[in-house]
Amino acid sequence: MFPKLSIVLALAAGTIGAVGSAQAVSLNPGEFTGFTFGEAGSSTQPFNFNVGEGGARLKVTDAGFAGDIFQVSNFGAVIGSTSNVSTNPDVFTADPNEAFNSPLFSSGSFSLAEGNQSITITPTASPFGPGGSGFIRFDPVPEPLTIFGSLAAIGMGAFLKREYSRKSKLLK
C-alpha cells in the first residue's frame, strides 16, 4: 500500500505539475491542469477563471489509481459530483484524457454560465488516501453566431466545389 501511495505522490508532485493548497490557481481554456488533494472532505484551493459569452463545460477527472470521487463547487455552491466508480488498485493512469474517457475513473462534466468562476474540488471518496491527484479543465462553448458562420462557410465551400466540378466537366 505504501509504495503505491508514494508513486501517486511523486506523480502528483513531479509529472502533472501539482498545485499547492495555499493560493488560488488560474486555469487556461482547453488545457487540463493537475491538482492534488488531501483526505476525503478536504477541499482543494480554488481554481479561478472567467467564462466568456456562451458559457463553458467544466471537466473534472480522477487520476493515479482509480477510485477517488469528487464533489465540485463554484463559489461554495455544489454544482455536482463526479461519477461513482469501483476502487481498483490495479488501474492507474497519469493521462487526463485517458482518465476522463475511461469508465474506470471517476469524472464529470458540468455547465458553467458566463462570468467569473471559483471552483473547488472536495474528495468524497479517497480509498488510497489520504491524498491523491486529479485533473480539471474548462472548454468555452462556441457562440451561436460562430457556429452559424462555420456552417455557412462549409455550405458555401461545398456549393463552389460542386459548381467548379460541373463547369470543368462541360469544358472537356
Side-chain angles (χ1 to χ4, degrees):
M1 179 70 162
F2 290 111
K4 290 182 181 180
L5 179 59
S6 63
I7 291 171
V8 170
L9 294 176
L11 171 72
T15 307
I16 64 174
V19 175
S21 61
Q23 298 178 335
V25 177
S26 295
L27 293 181
N28 295 318
E31 295 178 12
F32 272 111
T33 299
F35 65 87
T36 58
F37 57 88
E39 59 191 36
S42 64
S43 295
T44 63
Q45 73 289 337
F47 294 91
N48 296 329
F49 55 99
N50 191 333
V51 170
E53 188 176 331
R57 294 297 297 169
L58 179 72
K59 296 179 178 180
V60 177
T61 188
D62 181 20
F65 294 103
D68 300 312
I69 300 171
F70 306 114
Q71 178 178 285
V72 181
S73 302
N74 193 2
F75 288 107
V78 175
I79 60 173
S81 294
T82 59
S83 56
N84 289 325
V85 294
S86 298
T87 300
N88 192 337
D90 297 324
V91 177
F92 180 91
T93 188
D95 180 333
N97 292 304
E98 180 182 341
F100 187 81
N101 293 311
S102 171
L104 300 174
F105 287 87
S106 179
S107 63
S109 181
F110 312 94
S111 294
L112 297 175
E114 174 183 353
N116 290 324
Q117 314 295 321
S118 184
I119 303 295
T120 52
I121 300 167
T122 305
T124 57
S126 183
F128 304 107
S133 60
F135 290 93
I136 182 173
R137 85 182 262 172
F138 78 99
D139 297 309
V141 175
E143 298 176 32
L145 188 56
T146 303
I147 295 169
F148 177 73
S150 297
L151 292 175
I154 291 169
M156 183 60 86
F159 172 76
L160 291 174
K161 182 177 179 183
R162 189 173 348 137
E163 285 297 310
Y164 175 77
S165 176
R166 187 177 64 84
K167 287 182 181 179
S168 63
K169 285 180 183 179
L170 290 174
L171 292 175
K172 287 184 181 184

